[in-house]
Every structure is written in structure tokens, then in C-alpha cells.
Amino acid sequence: MMGTSDIRTWMYVPADSRSKLDKALSSGTDAVLADLEDAVSASGKAAARECLATWLSEVDPTAARPHIWVRVNAGSVEDDLAAAIHPLVEGICLPKVESADEVHAISDLMDRLEPSGSPRRPLMLMVETARGVLKCDTFAAASVRVVLFQLGEQDLRADLGLPPDLSKGADPLPGPMQAARDRVIFASAAAGLVGPVGPVSVNIHDADTLAAETARLRHAGFSGRALIHPAQIEPIAYGLAPTDAEAEWARKVVEAADAAGAEGTGVTVVDGGMVDAPVIATARQLLQRAEAHR
């Protein structure tokens, strides 16, 4: 089983569709996010919880499968968790987080609902409002369950009153959306969390643009990306993988560093550039990612 830091693709699947949940297990995504929130109508929440609980009870626990997480509703957390706290569910995604108090409250609720002796499920917190962006640096300290953030740009655009993004993957212009990305990335790093999960794209059919856009997110500090359609899995995974040139550079640096270390030297030169401890650490992380993406 891969750890959370190795999950690249997080696919949202409506929790009220048994057929889509079944198909997601063989889709090739790293993680399934069974969605009780936006993918389900307001009148269908109860039926979705029932569908999810039934589906989880019938999934073969011994079969190879993606990680399974559940996105709950902020307004019906207790009811949603009653269906989501299941041995196959590895983590919970909480949307529209705006305060540390919300994080503390759901963590306490999970403490009460999880069976005694069961693993403590981690939390993914969604930052998708202006208030959430401004407060996100306080969220991780509210609970040890918090392991990563996800940036929800569609909701954030609506909250800010911004027009739709029609750039088709072009580099973002300076402005509030780029500022939000930067703030969530800094908050994650400052809390010692894995890089945040990048925003969903509505681009389903233009694989090249999706891959290029995703590569820019990786270079900005995102560790993975949420998606809404199986056709997005491959281009997003490609965009999140280190390039061949990056992997080759990392190998050179690690080999040179290991050789220098054997000789008792802390600094060496690779391709005309000085290599010291921070560069070596970056190279080792990059090489580890390249091997994980094979």
C-alpha cells in the first residue's frame, strides 16, 4: 500500500452511483474519493449514504484496489461519517473548511465514532473560500489527523466573484487565484504536510493541455491532483511525474554526493554547478518520486 504522499490521482466518484464506484476500483486512479457532497443532489444525500455503506460492505477486502476516501458534507458530518467510518475507508475529506474549530470538531467526532482499537483515519481539508485561504495556516495545528490540503478553485472563484477560467492551461496571471495557490502551498510546508492536492480541471478531452497544466502545478509544489473523469488519470499522472531530464539530473547529483560522502567531502560539483546539502536533499526527493512514478 502506498502512503498518502505517493498518491498522485484522486478521482471523485458520486457516492450514489454503485456502477461508477465499481468502475472506479479498476480505473487506474491511485485513490477514489467517494463523494457525498457536490456530486449528490440535496434531496439524495440519505440515499447516497445508504448506497455508500452497502457498496463498502460488498467490496472484496482482499482484492487490489485504489485507496478509498470519502468526502463528507460540512452540514451533515455526523450522518455522513456514520456511513463512511468503515474498515476500507482510509481517510475523510472535509470541504469548505474555514476555521480550526471545524477541524477540531470533526476530529473529536471521529474519535467517538471510530471503533476502539481501529486506525485513526487522516483528514484532507479542502480550502475553497476566501476565509479558508486566509485561515488555512491554522488548520493543521487543530488535529493530528490533518495530513494534507486540497485547493478547490471552482468554489473559490465563485466565492470571490471571479469570471470562469478560460485560459486552457496557460500560466496563471498574478491575482487572487495564484495567491491562494501560494498560500495553501506555504501552509502545507510550514505544517510539515505533504504538498497539497491540486484543483479539479473540467478539461476531459485535451490530454496534452491537461498534462502541461498539471506539470506546472507540480513545479509549484502540489503533490497530486483531483479529477472527475477516468480519461484524466493518465495525463494527470504524466504531468505529476518527474521528467527524464530531471530524473537523470537527480541520479547524477545523488551518485556524486554519495561518492563525495565516501571521501569525507560535503560539497561536490555536477555539470558545472556546486552541489551542497539542500541540492542533494532535493535530488534525493526527486529521484524517489521518479522511481515511484515508474
Side-chain angles (χ1 to χ4, degrees):
M1 296 286 287
M2 65 176 69
T4 303
S5 62
D6 297 315
I7 299 177
R8 302 163 296 174
T9 54
W10 300 79
M11 188 165 73
Y12 281 108
V13 183
D16 61 353
S17 175
R18 173 62 183 267
S19 63
K20 291 180 180 179
L21 289 167
D22 285 340
K23 289 177 182 177
L25 293 181
S26 57
S27 66
T29 187
D30 294 330
V32 169
L33 271 169
D35 192 10
L36 290 167
E37 198 216 13
D38 284 349
V40 178
S41 67
S43 62
K45 301 295 185 182
R49 288 191 288 268
E50 184 176 346
C51 178
L52 175 65
T54 300
W55 176 72
L56 288 169
S57 71
E58 296 175 0
V59 172
D60 181 357
T62 65
R65 64 182 181 280
H67 296 261
I68 299 175
W69 284 54
V70 175
R71 179 164 71 170
V72 297
N73 292 274
S76 57
V77 173
E78 187 163 2
D79 289 340
D80 290 351
L81 286 178
I85 298 297
H86 183 279
L88 295 185
V89 175
E90 297 178 30
I92 300 297
C93 177
L94 181 66
K96 298 179 179 63
V97 181
E98 295 189 331
S99 73
D101 288 343
E102 294 173 51
V103 181
H104 185 72
I106 190 174
S107 182
D108 281 353
L109 182 57
M110 291 168 71
D111 285 342
R112 296 197 298 272
L113 292 176
E114 286 175 337
S116 177
S118 70
R120 175 178 280 174
R121 288 165 183 79
L123 281 169
M124 174 196 295
L125 306 180
M126 296 198 67
V127 179
E128 43 191 343
T129 66
R131 187 183 296 273
V133 170
L134 292 177
K135 296 289 187 180
C136 65
D137 58 345
T138 68
F139 295 165
S143 173
V144 295
R145 292 180 182 271
V146 178
V147 295
L148 77 170
F149 294 140
Q150 180 183 157
L151 182 61
E153 291 192 358
Q154 301 287 346
D155 284 272
L156 181 56
R157 280 185 174 277
D159 192 46
L160 295 173
L162 297 179
D165 179 12
L166 302 178
S167 63
K168 296 187 181 298
D171 288 320
L173 296 173
M177 298 310 296
Q178 185 59 40
R181 290 183 179 186
D182 293 343
R183 191 172 183 93
V184 173
I185 289 164
F186 274 106
S188 297
L193 306 181
V194 66
V197 176
V200 163
S201 170
V202 296
N203 176 4
I204 296 173
H205 301 296
D206 187 348
D208 290 342
T209 297
L210 183 58
E213 177 189 294
T214 303
R216 283 191 284 274
L217 288 173
R218 177 176 74 87
H219 281 95
F222 289 89
S223 67
R225 189 166 193 184
L227 57 126
I228 54 175
H229 192 280
Q232 296 177 314
I233 295 171
E234 186 173 345
I236 286 177
Y238 181 84
L240 291 169
T243 65
D244 291 342
E246 290 171 336
E248 180 59 25
W249 172 85
R251 289 189 190 92
K252 286 182 180 180
V253 170
V254 169
E255 290 172 359
D258 289 344
E263 297 174 0
T265 303
V267 177
T268 188
V269 175
V270 174
D271 293 338
M274 187 183 74
V275 173
D276 57 7
V279 176
I280 294 168
T282 297
R284 292 192 188 281
Q285 291 172 358
L286 188 59
L287 193 57
Q288 183 178 22
R289 291 191 193 117
E291 291 171 350
H293 282 259
R294 285 180 178 175

